[in-house]
Amino acid sequence: MNDIGIAPSILAADFGYLMRDIKAVENADYLHIDVMDGHYVNNISFGIPVIQSIRKYTDMEFFTHLMITDPERYVKAFADAGSDNITFHVECSSDPDALINEIWSLGKSAGIAVHPDTPIEKVFPYIGKVDIILVMTVYPGFGGQGYLDVSDDRLRQLRKAIDDRQADTVIAVDGGVAEDNIRHIYECGARLFVAGSSVFHAEDPAEAVEELKRCAALS
Ligand code: DX5
Ligand code: ZN
């Protein structure tokens, strides 16, 4: 994938007007859905019933980011709820290979996420096995944080590892992505950009998506 993708994170949407906010960003490539369980991260967001509900009203691809312990227990429920991609944290699974296979067997695309404090090499074994490697560029749990500069080198190392293996795994980044840094993050190797605040806190979220695309690709 040479193209770039934008995935607005509904964590930054107004939950009182959730479908209105989702409809506003249907020009984006994915809808990023942050699930938090209050165990793996110090926050609780929403879960399966919310995904089931919004599934009825949009055809967007659902990129479900599970920030939960024991993801094995819930992947089937998240698949049945309408996720298109299921991404779990490498830190949370005792057998990531088996979980990736299970996600595939459910007919879904698989992703693996990595916490900023986890050595990036930890995800190298899954290059070519997952569709997406999601590099957390903030501490998971909350939107609106600043991009961690240590991410630059981590992204470059992962980019090199993927290119060396001639794999087509997509590098996604999550956290602190904005118009003024997206081109730089692209140059470090990312191709799919999760963006919460910079999209939903903008006056015109659809236009914010277009602006992020323009800034990333300078097109
Ligand atoms: C953080 C979430 C992110 C978050 C990004 O735990 O995984 O997806 O919504 O929000 P911003 O873009 O505001 O940093
Ligand atoms: Zn996320």
Side-chain angles (χ1 to χ4, degrees):
M1 173 174 168
N2 294 316
D3 214 351
I4 64 124
I6 306 291
S9 167
I10 57 170
L11 192 64
D14 181 341
F15 293 155
Y17 291 92
L18 188 52
M19 272 323 300
R20 178 202 66 184
D21 284 5
I22 292 170
K23 287 284 167 192
V25 296
E26 283 185 330
N27 59 323
D29 302 276
Y30 291 89
L31 191 68
H32 187 78
I33 299 177
D34 285 310
V35 177
M36 304 178 183
D37 67 350
H39 289 273
Y40 177 58
V41 292
N42 293 322
N43 200 3
I44 298 174
S45 57
F46 50 76
I48 295 150
V50 171
I51 299 175
Q52 275 170 340
S53 294
I54 62 176
R55 181 71 287 172
K56 291 187 278 182
Y57 305 114
T58 181
D59 292 329
M60 287 186 83
E61 302 252 322
F62 284 2
F63 174 7
T64 302
H65 178 193
L66 299 181
M67 285 165 275
I68 64 173
T69 54
D70 294 330
E72 289 79 5
R73 286 177 62 187
Y74 299 102
V75 284
K76 185 166 186 320
F78 282 103
D80 292 346
S83 301
D84 296 288
N85 169 280
I86 299 177
T87 293
F88 64 91
H89 270 261
V90 66
E91 301 85 11
C92 295
S93 173
S94 53
D95 189 351
D97 282 296
L99 191 50
I100 292 163
N101 287 337
E102 187 184 347
I103 294 169
W104 277 109
S105 73
L106 291 163
K108 306 298 179 181
S109 127
I112 196 158
V114 56
H115 187 284
D117 289 342
T118 300
I120 195 71
E121 294 79 9
K122 197 86 199 244
V123 293
F124 287 4
Y126 310 105
I127 292 171
K129 290 186 185 170
V130 286
D131 300 287
I132 293 173
I133 295 180
L134 181 66
V135 178
M136 292 303 301
T137 45
V138 296
Y139 286 98
F142 298 89
Q145 305 176 71
Y147 174 88
L148 292 166
D149 290 333
V150 293
S151 310
D152 288 3
D153 272 347
R154 293 162 58 77
L155 289 168
R156 290 190 190 107
Q157 288 171 46
L158 180 58
R159 177 81 269 153
K160 183 174 184 316
I162 291 174
D163 291 346
D164 285 350
R165 291 163 178 75
Q166 298 183 315
D168 56 8
T169 301
V170 173
I171 301 179
V173 286
D174 190 2
V177 174
E179 287 167 17
D180 61 0
N181 64 8
I182 192 168
R183 179 67 196 174
H184 172 73
I185 302 169
Y186 174 92
E187 283 166 358
C188 292
R191 293 295 177 268
L192 177 57
F193 302 87
V194 175
S197 315
S198 60
V199 170
F200 286 111
H201 296 174
E203 214 165 290
D204 181 344
E207 179 49 30
V209 168
E210 295 305 320
E211 187 59 21
L212 284 170
K213 282 186 202 171
R214 278 194 290 273
C215 291
L218 295 179
S219 63

